[in-house]
Amino acid sequence: MATIKDVARHAGVSYTTVSHVLNKTRPVSCDARQRVLAAAEALHYVPSALARSLRSKATGSIGLIIPNNTNPYFSEVARGIEDCCYAAGYSVILCNSDDDPAKQRDYLNVLLTKRCDGLIVATLAQTDGELLRKMKVPTVLLDRAPKELSIDLVAVDNAAGGVLAAQHLLALGRRRIACIAGPQGLDISEERVAGMRRALADAGMTLPEQLLRYADFTSAGGYEAARALLSRGEVPDAIFCCNDLMAIGTLRAAAELGIAVPQALSVVGFDDIDLARFVHPPLTSVAQNTRRLGQLTAQCLLERIADPARPIEHQTITPELHVRGSTVLS
């Protein structure tokens, strides 16, 4: 790989002249400039991003940590983030934490050594708030933030989404409504369940414990939880799943058990991933516009990078229900 000194020798100028031409830091004669550019092109010279970052104290890179890149929700949010950052001249370094706090901490340290200009972290582990304070890097959190941490946050009103799902099922005349929640103790899942409980309470109903199952936000997890709900006792006539992947697993379980959707069982998901429109029947889902959510998160970070002193901002996205064939016959 050619160096700046190789370019200088080829052009017959000093390497400082090459630096001034490429970085536009000082006027250089037209002849010298043309020779430097021709030499750089002939040698396929690529300026060192590290050297530039040391001079400018900026790398043009954004670090993004998500819990699970196989989950379409996070893939779609990441795409929205990348589109917005790329348009602003930034590259995105994507890291997958696998919902492992230790792995997330390792990636935070890696991104710090790479001198990222800013960070976006989805579902920050509770224990990593102090590490972010020490890093002093512009950061935006997605989905949730430790209560003691003063930091920019973009989140969805998860409780409102749970209310929407339950109200829709109640309006359809469903009265034995079950829920497949995410991992027990996870804030975003607990908020969705709490919203569902609130809507049921307003209708004079409750969510019996035997109709509540916890899973891991995967299709397989939703499938197993749905099999348990639908295979014994008094089966539910509706299931609210706290993400779309678990709802898709629920549709599979119902099909295997010969339970007609939506005639005998209504199913509602959460996230409205692209795949929700293409399963059979198409999935009714609480939508949070994943691409738009990613773009808002990225824009919040870009504004923080541009003005580190601006007031801390918490943005809450209001979800909406997209009704499809898993609850209403088309």
Side-chain angles (χ1 to χ4, degrees), residues 289-302:
N289 196 334
T290 50
R291 294 282 180 91
R292 180 62 180 150
L293 181 63
Q295 291 167 352
L296 286 173
T297 305
Q299 189 59 45
C300 183
L301 179 62
L302 295 174

Side-chain angles (χ1 to χ4, degrees), residues 205-285:
M205 298 171 58
T206 62
L207 174 61
E209 287 307 308
Q210 67 269 25
L211 293 185
L212 175 62
R213 291 287 186 276
Y214 294 94
D216 59 358
F217 280 147
T218 67
S219 297
Y223 170 82
E224 294 297 337
R227 292 277 308 194
L229 287 167
L230 298 171
S231 300
R232 62 175 69 98
E234 195 175 343
V235 300
D237 58 10
I239 301 178
F240 167 47
C241 302
C242 285
N243 85 337
D244 284 347
L245 289 182
M246 294 192 298
I248 290 170
T250 297
L251 293 177
R252 168 69 183 271
E256 288 184 356
L257 293 169
I259 299 172
V261 176
Q263 293 90 337
L265 177 72
S266 293
V267 179
V268 177
F270 201 113
D271 291 336
D272 199 35
I273 60 177
D274 287 344
L275 187 61
R277 294 175 294 148
F278 298 103
V279 294
H280 182 73
L283 179 64
T284 293
S285 183

Side-chain angles (χ1 to χ4, degrees), residues 139-204:
T139 302
V140 175
L141 301 186
L142 178 62
D143 273 347
R144 68 177 186 265
K147 293 180 174 60
E148 74 281 0
L149 191 62
S150 179
I151 197 167
D152 290 319
L153 171 68
V154 178
V156 174
D157 190 337
N158 291 293
V163 169
L164 284 175
Q167 286 178 339
H168 174 61
L169 294 170
L170 289 167
L172 294 173
R174 304 301 186 178
R175 290 297 178 266
R176 189 167 174 80
I177 304 174
C179 179
I180 300 178
Q184 198 162 6
L186 184 64
D187 289 349
I188 58 173
S189 176
E190 298 290 351
E191 290 165 6
R192 293 170 189 180
V193 176
M196 176 187 178
R197 289 186 189 275
R198 190 164 72 219
L200 291 175
D202 289 343

